[in-house]
Amino acid sequence: MSKKKGLSLEEKRTRMMEIFFETKDVFQLKDIEKIAPKQKGISPMTVKDVLQSLVDDNMVDCERVGTSNYYWAFPSKALNARKNKLDELKKQDSEAKQRKVSLEKAVEKANLGREDTKERSSLLKELKALREEKTQLQADLEKYRECDPEVVEEIRKTNVVAKEAVSRWTDNVFAIKSWTKKKFSFDDSRINKAFGIPEDFDYMD
């Protein structure tokens, strides 16, 4: 089978949030460093940074007790936090759109004489900055949507269904190979070549 691509930062963040949502437990960093690679396929070298990014975004709570840090994130609180963040981002996006409309009108008015005035240049710069801000806000909205517990749960269910489907087709391939061996006395290499089956074809982990 083809080599698996590495997970993106957002995929790692989503999978790490699954650990907290599925267990509803409190962990130390060492616990997460053991669980994340084994259960969620997150590279051990990136676990700490991914966890810290979630803490920085207030998606995971962190409390120091004695000499140890403890981490937790419960779906209800995380959902409310993300809803508040989404509401704030939507508000900012709406305000940016309104400012953009006003600036476009101002630019249109300034363009009437086609004079390259300081005011026109300033307005164009501000308009460009607002367009960039709008793009960033839309990216932020998408980022928080991907970490929504409901979306995470839907992704988890979809992954389970997909994995079951892959397993069924893998069973079918092995059944065909077994039948072909018995019927024609072909070896694995010959069967693989005839049907275009990779030599390392096997079940998914």
Side-chain angles (χ1 to χ4, degrees):
M1 299 181 75
S2 59
K3 189 176 181 181
K4 295 180 180 178
K5 285 181 63 178
L7 299 174
S8 68
L9 176 59
E10 285 310 314
E11 287 173 327
K12 292 175 184 176
R13 284 162 56 94
T14 298
R15 292 191 181 194
M16 189 167 290
M17 290 303 295
E18 287 178 356
I19 296 173
F20 292 104
F21 292 158
E22 290 169 359
T23 63
K24 298 180 178 64
D25 206 348
V26 178
F27 302 94
Q28 288 182 268
L29 176 59
K30 63 182 180 181
D31 301 323
I32 298 295
E33 287 178 331
K34 291 179 181 178
I35 297 172
K38 182 181 291 186
Q39 295 185 10
K40 299 299 179 180
I42 301 173
S43 170
M45 299 296 290
T46 63
V47 169
K48 185 175 181 180
D49 290 338
V50 174
L51 180 58
Q52 187 59 49
S53 76
L54 293 172
V55 173
D56 292 341
D57 285 344
N58 295 318
M59 296 172 66
V60 171
D61 290 311
C62 176
E63 187 72 35
R64 190 171 186 82
V65 179
T67 58
S68 301
N69 286 330
Y70 290 85
Y71 301 87
W72 70 93
F74 300 123
S76 58
K77 180 178 179 181
L79 180 58
N80 287 332
R82 274 187 293 279
K83 281 183 177 178
N84 291 337
K85 183 64 177 180
L86 280 170
D87 289 341
E88 178 62 25
L89 288 169
K90 287 177 181 177
K91 181 181 177 183
Q92 292 178 23
D93 187 44
S94 177
E95 291 173 350
K97 286 177 180 177
Q98 291 176 3
R99 292 202 303 275
K100 179 175 175 285
V101 170
S102 297
L103 283 168
E104 285 176 337
K105 289 180 179 179
V107 169
E108 183 179 346
K109 183 179 179 180
N111 264 335
L112 289 176
R114 304 297 296 174
E115 299 90 354
D116 190 13
T117 63
K118 289 183 178 180
E119 179 186 7
R120 182 170 177 272
S121 296
S122 176
L123 287 170
L124 286 171
K125 286 181 181 178
E126 188 173 353
L127 178 60
K128 180 182 178 182
L130 281 169
R131 283 172 174 163
E132 292 173 351
E133 179 184 351
K134 179 185 175 185
T135 299
Q136 183 59 50
L137 285 168
Q138 289 175 334
D140 289 342
L141 281 168
E142 185 64 21
K143 180 180 72 173
Y144 280 89
R145 188 193 71 79
E146 288 179 358
C147 291
D148 191 303
E150 295 176 4
V151 176
V152 170
E153 178 62 19
E154 187 62 30
I155 291 173
R156 188 188 68 79
K157 290 179 180 178
T158 301
N159 286 343
V160 170
V161 172
K163 190 170 182 179
E164 290 175 350
V166 170
S167 294
R168 286 196 301 273
W169 279 104
T170 303
D171 286 338
N172 292 339
V173 171
F174 280 120
I176 291 172
K177 287 181 69 173
S178 178
W179 179 84
T180 305
K181 283 181 183 179
K182 293 177 182 177
K183 184 74 174 178
F184 302 103
S185 299
F186 288 170
D187 58 23
D188 278 338
S189 296
R190 190 171 180 184
I191 295 172
N192 289 342
K193 185 175 181 180
F195 289 99
I197 303 172
E199 291 294 334
D200 59 351
F201 180 83
D202 205 344
Y203 288 95
M204 291 181 64
D205 295 330

